């Protein structure tokens, strides 16, 4: 093994590991691979950046625009609704008709796009016919993958396989060459799904279906999770906006409606002002509020030792010691802390420092900054040990600055609080007390038995009689007392779920798009309620609903959010591109008058490539441009339709294929992994390549699988198969990842919408994979001897 081979294989291993573990974004991994190969001089700069001008890359993004044009003009929606009329009374007949339609469409457009278009159509058909959507959605998702094996432009795997063939100096695949194997695979798979699909997939219930179980009289079987509380006529909460009440932050309560003067008002906005006597319909755990009401939590400490006004001067004297000091640090432009909040990164634990205030420009932020995304140039006033100050000064995350501490006016925010006897905090650790996140009170020190302990650890347990040096406002403590004044009315006045919907307010099910930039962000991080004015009542993930503390739950692609709020706002949310609405009546109206024109443009692209009038990349870009020029799409919609992370990933990984071939690493791996392949019969080789590419595609992007396995297979010596046969097999195996929901975005999209669990995919996907393998083993050697 040469040093270049070893280095190339090292970069390959690192890339596969990072993609499988999802440690970094896929597009970033692609760029890191590209840079690693260029900086190590394994390939030339021109070769390193050749992926961005590769015909396969150009065709992929152009076809995404064409697919979006078909979707925006409502072509698939129209056909889907016609199927309901011609599908007959039998569920098998209906499912067969739908499967043929989605397979046909996905032969020419994006499988993910077809699933997005079909979600509301299938929901509507299932509702009208009284069918379980779980019996239909997974088979439909699998049907789009089966259809994606039929043509040159149907998926990225086929385009990359064609690109590999051209780079060998061989004639390119014809437009329908893939159908020789893809068509029998699709027909066999559709027959299997239509006959056995609904029997192998258990009947599941989605989030929206649970919300419609009116017979139980409860919203998604919540029981005690939905209850009513009343504000006192005069209290700390009266006159405050809902967003400042801390009902969500402190008690994890979701306010669904407000009854005032006998009139209910559902889905209040964050700026709705509370009034004395308001009755709040809330979703959450009643026991948290009961615990808060039963015991006094904190009292302000005054100079004579009784509860009363705060004593900032006393608190200041207890803030600094010979071991603990204050320091100001600035977030550097290249700091990994940019766009991250203090609470998400657990700043106190990570840097062993308390943040007392943040200065952004001329503005000093002294409260409610725990969830504020940091920016380069922000200055943080920290309380930390003098030893830790040295470490912070050496960190590349910060730059230590000199500052005038008087500008922060700490005396306005420092309080001395007492933990009274019977407090619910007695015995809890600081971390468990959640004082910082819920009430904006940062504990900087504890005075116990006359001794001050600055910067107590998160696991430090509080005791009755402790005095806490905290950074916060006196009104924050008053707000805590205001929450203790709430009166629990109980379940007697709880409305039926149907009563939560009015002409203006409704329920909707929204699926997080696989292409949304929301991975691991929370509703709190994206300020969901503030930005959209909507309530999230439940999150459906892997076959079960989550209803508590949703604001702090990291979001995943494919999650289904049950939204409650103003119908016009729900429509605006659907237009954002981050969320996919599954209710037909809430979708943006399609441009039906352009449907015929969009269809003609699609057929024009197919004809120009099929008859070899234009190269595929030129035809695809021409079709994309015509979609915009004909106003089937706006330019903004065209840009949003391109999944840029996938484009950057593929463009970054294509140079890795060049490096594997140029350095001899592909031949080296091929001789090891396929050492005995020269003695194999063709069907055995086809089976091995199919299984290898299929299993790899369950965990890493299919495009990466095709690039890597094709490079290895084509450089193996003495194998009993033509390059065309091997590339067709690799593309086929990588295009059919049925075994896991994460194998393909189409699988992920239907997971929450159908109420599926992880094991449901394996139950239906394994026999379907074995069937497609058997067909491929017979068909590939026959058509590509």
């Amino acid at each position: 093994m040469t040093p270049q081979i070893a280095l190339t294989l090292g970069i390959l291993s690192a890339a596969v590991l990072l993609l499988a573990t999802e440690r970094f974004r896929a597009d970033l991994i692609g760029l890191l691979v590209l840079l690693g190969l260029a900086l190590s001089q394994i390939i030339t700069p021109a070769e390193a950046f050749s992926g961005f001008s590769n015909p396969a890359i150009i065709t992929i993004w152009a076809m995404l625009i064409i697919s979006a044009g078909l979707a925006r003009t409502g072509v698939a929606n129209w056909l889907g609704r016609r199927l309901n009329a011609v599908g007959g009374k039998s569920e098998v007949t209906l499912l067969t008709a739908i499967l043929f339609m989605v397979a046909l469409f996905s032969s020419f457009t994006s499988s993910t796009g077809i699933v997005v278009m079909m979600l509301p159509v299938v929901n509507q058909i299932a509702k009208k016919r009284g069918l379980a959507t779980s019996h239909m959605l997974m088979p439909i998702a699998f049907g789009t993958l089966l259809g994606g094996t039929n043509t040159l432009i149907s998926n990225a795997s086929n385009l990359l396989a064609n690109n590999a063939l051209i780079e060998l100096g061989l004639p390119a695949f014809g437009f329908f060459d893939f159908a020789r194997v893809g068509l029998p695979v699709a027909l066999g798979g559709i027959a299997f799904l239509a006959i056995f699909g609904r029997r192998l997939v258990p009947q599941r219930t989605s989030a929206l279906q649970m919300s419609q179980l009116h017979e139980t009289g409860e919203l998604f079987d919540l029981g005690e999770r939905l209850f009513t509380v009343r504000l006192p006529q005069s209290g700390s909460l009266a006159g405050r906006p809902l967003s400042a009440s801390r009902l969500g932050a402190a008690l994890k309560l979701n306010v669904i409606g407000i009854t005032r003067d006998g009139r209910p008002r559902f889905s209040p906005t964050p700026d709705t002002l509370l009034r004395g006597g308001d009755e709040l319909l809330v979703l959450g755990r009643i026991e948290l509020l009961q615990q808060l009401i039963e015991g006094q939590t904190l009292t302000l400490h005054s100079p004579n030792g009784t509860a009363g006004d705060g004593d900032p001067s006393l608190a200041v004297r207890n803030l600094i010691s010979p071991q603990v000091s204050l320091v100001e640090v600035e977030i550097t432009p290249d700091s990994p802390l940019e766009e991250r909040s203090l609470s998400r990164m657990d700043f106190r634990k990570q840097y062993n420092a308390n943040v007392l205030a943040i200065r952004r420009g001329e503005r000093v932020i002294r409260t409610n900054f725990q969830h504020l995304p940091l920016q380069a140039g922000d200055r943080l006033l920290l309380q930390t040990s003098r030893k830790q100050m040295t470490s912070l000064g050496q960190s590349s995350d910060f730059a230590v600055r000199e500052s005038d501490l008087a500008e922060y006016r700490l005396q306005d925010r420092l309080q001395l609080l007492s933990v009274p006897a019977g407090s619910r905090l007695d015995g809890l650790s600081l971390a468990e007390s959640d004082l910082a996140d819920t009430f904006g009170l940062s504990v900087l020190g504890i005075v116990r038995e006359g001794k001050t302990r600055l910067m107590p650890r998160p696991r430090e347990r509080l005791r009755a009689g402790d005095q806490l040096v905290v950074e916060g406002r006196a009104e924050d403590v008053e707000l805590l007392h205001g929450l203790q004044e709430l009166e629990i009315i109980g379940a007697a006045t709880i409305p039926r779920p149907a009563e939560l919907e009015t002409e203006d307010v409704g329920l909707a099910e929204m699926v997080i798009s696989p292409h949304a930039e929301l991975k691991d962000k929370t509703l709190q991080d994206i300020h969901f309620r503030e930005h959209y004015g909507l309530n999230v009542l439940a999150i459906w993930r892997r076959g079960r609903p989550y209803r508590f503390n949703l604001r702090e739950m990291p979001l995943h692609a494919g999650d289904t959010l049950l939204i409650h709020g103003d119908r016009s706002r729900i429509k605006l949310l659907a237009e954002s591109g981050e969320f996919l609405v599954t209710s037909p009546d809430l979708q943006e109206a399609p441009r039906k008058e352009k449907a015929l024109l969009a269809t003609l443009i699609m057929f024009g692209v197919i004809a120009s490539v099929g008859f070899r009038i234009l190269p595929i990349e030129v035809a695809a870009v021409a079709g994309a441009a015509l979609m915009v020029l004909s106003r089937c799409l706006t330019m903004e919609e065209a840009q949003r339709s391109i999944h840029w992370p996938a484009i950057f990933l593929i463009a970054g990984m294509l140079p890795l294929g060049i490096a594997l071939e140029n350095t001899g690493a592909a031949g080296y791996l091929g001789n090891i992994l396929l050492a005995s392949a020269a003695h194999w019969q063709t069907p055995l080789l086809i089976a091995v390549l199919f299984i290898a590419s299929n299993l790899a595609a369950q965990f890493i992007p299919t495009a990466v699988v095709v690039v890597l396995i094709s490079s290895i297979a084509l450089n193996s010596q003495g194998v009993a198969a033509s390059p065309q046969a091997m590339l067709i097999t690799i593309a086929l195996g990588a295009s059919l990842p049925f075994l896991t929901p994460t194998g393909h975005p189409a699988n992920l999209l239907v997971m929450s919408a159908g109420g599926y669990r992880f094991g449901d995919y394996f139950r239906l996907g394994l026999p379907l994979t074995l069937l497609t393998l058997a067909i491929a083993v017979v068909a590939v050697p026959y058509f590509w001897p």
Side-chain angles (χ1 to χ4, degrees):
M1 181 190 298
T2 66
Q4 278 198 321
I5 290 178
L7 186 55
T8 302
L9 294 182
I11 294 174
L12 167 63
S13 301
V16 172
L17 180 64
L18 290 174
L19 287 168
T21 58
E22 299 183 348
R23 184 69 182 271
F24 298 112
R25 287 171 49 121
D27 47 354
L28 176 59
I29 295 171
L31 292 178
L32 290 175
V33 168
L34 180 155
L35 287 172
L37 294 171
L39 292 174
S40 61
Q41 298 184 340
I42 294 175
I43 56 176
T44 65
E47 290 172 328
F49 294 100
S50 62
F52 290 98
S53 60
N54 190 284
I57 290 289
I58 296 170
T59 306
I60 290 169
W61 63 252
M63 290 307 303
L64 288 172
I65 295 176
I66 294 173
S67 297
L70 292 172
R72 191 64 187 85
T73 55
V75 175
N77 289 30
W78 181 84
L79 284 175
R81 292 186 175 92
R82 299 289 78 76
L83 284 174
N84 188 38
V86 302
K89 295 182 179 180
S90 167
E91 184 176 350
V92 173
T93 305
L94 174 65
L95 183 57
T96 301
I98 294 177
L99 286 173
F100 271 111
M101 190 206 76
V102 298
L104 175 64
F105 265 83
S106 60
S107 295
F108 306 103
T109 62
S110 161
S111 297
T112 306
I114 297 299
V115 172
V116 170
M117 288 188 286
M118 291 304 298
L119 275 174
V121 176
V122 171
N123 276 337
Q124 191 175 49
I125 292 174
K127 185 177 180 181
K128 285 182 178 180
R129 295 197 174 208
L131 303 175
T133 55
S134 61
H135 284 169
M136 302 176 71
L137 288 179
M138 189 185 295
I140 288 171
F142 288 177
T144 65
L145 301 187
L146 290 166
T149 62
N150 286 320
T151 67
L152 180 59
I153 63 172
S154 55
N155 62 45
S157 298
N158 293 359
L159 288 167
L160 292 170
N162 183 59
N163 184 72
L165 191 64
I166 294 172
E167 290 182 351
L168 284 176
L170 297 174
F173 285 117
F175 189 85
F176 289 105
D177 280 353
F178 287 87
R180 299 183 188 181
V181 178
L183 189 58
V185 165
L187 292 174
I190 288 173
F192 174 84
L193 290 171
I195 298 171
F196 301 104
R198 65 190 185 94
R199 295 174 182 169
L200 290 174
V201 177
Q203 182 168 332
R204 303 289 191 197
T205 308
S206 69
L208 190 58
Q209 286 173 318
M210 287 196 75
S211 72
Q212 295 165 344
L213 296 178
H214 293 194
E215 305 83 25
T216 64
E218 299 174 345
L219 186 62
F220 3 96
D221 198 26
L222 286 178
E224 73 280 1
R225 296 294 174 85
L226 194 63
F227 59 98
T228 306
V229 298
R230 181 187 291 125
L231 272 66
Q233 287 297 335
S234 59
S236 303
L237 294 180
R240 292 180 183 269
L242 186 60
S243 59
S245 69
R246 294 196 180 271
L247 284 162
L251 298 173
K252 321 301 182 190
L253 297 178
N254 195 349
V255 180
I256 296 174
I258 299 176
T259 300
R260 181 177 296 164
D261 299 327
R263 293 183 177 181
R265 175 187 175 186
F266 295 114
S267 190
T269 60
D271 56 357
T272 299
L273 292 179
L274 298 174
R275 294 183 186 174
D278 282 349
E279 294 182 3
L280 311 182
L281 179 63
V282 296
L283 181 64
R285 291 182 176 173
I286 195 171
E287 59 268 23
L288 292 183
L289 179 56
Q290 288 172 330
Q291 291 172 6
L292 183 66
I293 293 174
E294 289 169 0
Q296 190 178 17
T297 303
L298 292 169
T299 58
L300 282 169
H301 182 75
S302 63
N304 60 11
T306 61
D309 294 333
D311 184 6
S313 61
L314 181 59
V316 169
R317 291 199 299 272
N318 286 296
L319 185 59
I320 302 174
S321 73
Q323 293 78 32
V324 177
S325 186
L326 302 180
V327 62
E328 185 183 65
V329 297
E330 182 176 326
I331 305 295
T332 56
D334 56 347
S335 173
L337 304 185
E338 273 194 278
E339 302 302 326
R340 300 180 66 191
S341 67
L342 299 174
S343 62
R344 287 300 307 278
M345 74 178 80
D346 199 357
F347 188 93
R348 166 70 186 270
K349 182 177 180 181
Q350 185 173 347
Y351 294 100
N352 194 27
N354 285 321
V355 180
L356 305 184
I358 297 176
R359 187 165 68 177
R360 179 170 290 175
E362 298 301 319
R363 179 188 174 202
V364 176
I365 307 170
R366 292 185 286 262
T367 59
N368 300 327
F369 50 71
Q370 292 294 327
H371 304 289
L372 180 72
L374 298 176
Q375 299 177 5
D378 283 351
R379 293 195 174 192
L380 279 60
L381 182 63
L382 306 180
Q383 180 201 38
T384 187
S385 67
R386 298 186 186 275
K387 179 180 179 181
Q388 182 66 10
M389 285 177 60
T390 305
S391 300
L392 291 174
Q394 296 171 348
S395 172
S396 60
D397 300 346
F398 309 102
V400 176
R401 303 298 187 199
E402 293 184 2
S403 66
D404 181 4
L405 297 182
E407 295 178 1
Y408 287 95
R409 297 184 59 84
L410 293 178
Q411 66 275 12
D412 294 344
R413 300 295 181 187
L414 293 176
Q415 310 290 336
L416 195 63
L417 306 176
S418 296
V419 180
S423 170
R424 72 178 185 90
L425 299 181
D426 188 6
L428 293 182
S429 68
L430 280 175
E432 293 168 341
S433 72
D434 217 15
L435 288 172
D437 287 341
T438 57
F439 295 104
L441 302 172
S442 298
V443 179
L444 310 179
I446 299 176
V447 181
R448 180 179 295 162
E449 298 176 353
K451 296 180 180 179
T452 302
R453 305 176 63 179
L454 293 180
M455 293 193 64
R457 296 182 181 276
R459 63 174 180 267
E460 180 74 31
R461 296 202 172 273
L462 300 175
R463 300 178 189 172
D466 283 350
Q467 295 175 359
L468 310 182
V469 181
V470 301
E471 190 273 335
R473 299 174 300 180
E475 61 188 87
D476 290 327
V477 182
E478 294 175 4
L479 186 59
L480 189 155
H481 294 156
L483 293 176
Q484 291 179 305
E485 297 169 351
L486 292 172
E487 177 189 356
I488 300 174
I489 298 177
T493 57
I494 294 176
R496 291 165 55 87
E499 296 171 354
L500 293 179
E501 296 192 82
T502 65
E503 183 178 345
D504 299 321
V505 176
L507 288 166
E509 195 177 87
M510 309 284 279
V511 180
I512 297 179
S513 168
H515 307 320
E517 300 297 327
L518 298 177
K519 179 177 171 57
D520 291 334
K521 293 183 180 179
T522 65
L523 294 171
Q524 187 170 254
D525 290 337
I526 63 176
H527 304 287
F528 182 88
R529 188 158 188 175
E530 291 78 4
H531 285 170
Y532 300 108
L534 298 168
N535 249 331
V536 178
L537 303 186
I539 296 177
W540 195 270
R541 177 182 297 165
R542 295 192 175 184
R544 60 159 293 188
Y546 295 84
R547 313 174 185 95
F548 177 70
N549 200 19
L550 302 180
R551 55 188 278 130
E552 298 177 10
M553 183 176 176
L555 300 173
H556 297 164
D559 283 350
T560 297
L561 277 58
L562 189 62
I563 307 291
H564 182 238
D566 187 274
R567 297 181 190 274
S568 61
R569 290 179 178 270
I570 294 176
K571 288 184 178 180
L572 289 175
L573 178 62
E575 295 171 10
S576 70
E578 301 282 332
F579 302 90
L580 309 173
V581 66
T582 61
S583 305
D585 56 329
L586 293 174
Q587 283 191 313
E588 188 177 5
R591 301 186 180 104
K592 295 180 180 179
E593 71 281 2
K594 301 288 184 180
L596 178 59
L597 187 55
T599 304
L600 291 175
I601 291 172
M602 183 71 219
F603 278 120
V605 172
I606 295 171
S608 62
V609 176
F611 291 107
R612 300 185 185 275
I613 299 173
L614 292 173
I616 185 171
E617 65 273 19
V618 176
V621 173
L626 286 173
M627 283 290 184
V628 177
L629 289 173
S630 63
R631 298 186 180 179
C632 294
L633 281 177
T634 64
M635 196 63 199
E636 291 73 20
E637 290 169 336
Q639 291 172 345
R640 285 202 304 267
S641 69
I642 302 174
H643 186 212
W644 290 112
I647 298 298
F648 274 81
L649 171 64
I650 300 171
M653 296 302 291
L654 282 172
L656 184 56
I658 298 173
L660 288 170
E661 185 174 347
N662 289 354
T663 62
Y668 177 82
L669 281 179
N671 291 333
I672 293 176
L673 301 177
L674 298 173
S676 58
H679 306 293
W680 294 352
Q681 296 295 319
T682 303
L684 177 58
L685 177 63
I686 296 301
V688 169
L689 291 176
F690 183 98
I691 293 171
S693 57
N694 187 265
L695 290 178
Q698 309 295 334
F699 307 104
I700 60 178
T702 56
V704 178
V705 173
V706 174
V707 170
L708 299 183
I709 296 184
S710 62
S711 296
I712 295 169
L714 294 175
N715 284 276
S716 302
Q717 302 296 319
V719 293
S722 66
Q724 292 89 341
M726 289 192 290
L727 288 170
I728 288 277
T729 302
I730 294 166
L732 184 68
S735 300
L736 303 175
F738 301 131
L739 301 179
T740 66
T742 55
H744 195 278
N747 295 355
L748 204 56
L749 273 173
V750 300
M751 187 176 190
S752 292
Y756 300 120
R757 298 172 185 169
F758 199 94
D760 293 339
Y761 288 83
F762 192 82
R763 184 180 294 109
L764 179 61
L766 180 60
L768 183 57
T769 300
L770 294 176
L771 175 63
T772 55
L773 169 62
I775 296 173
V777 166
V778 174
V780 172
Y782 179 80
F783 289 109
W784 302 99

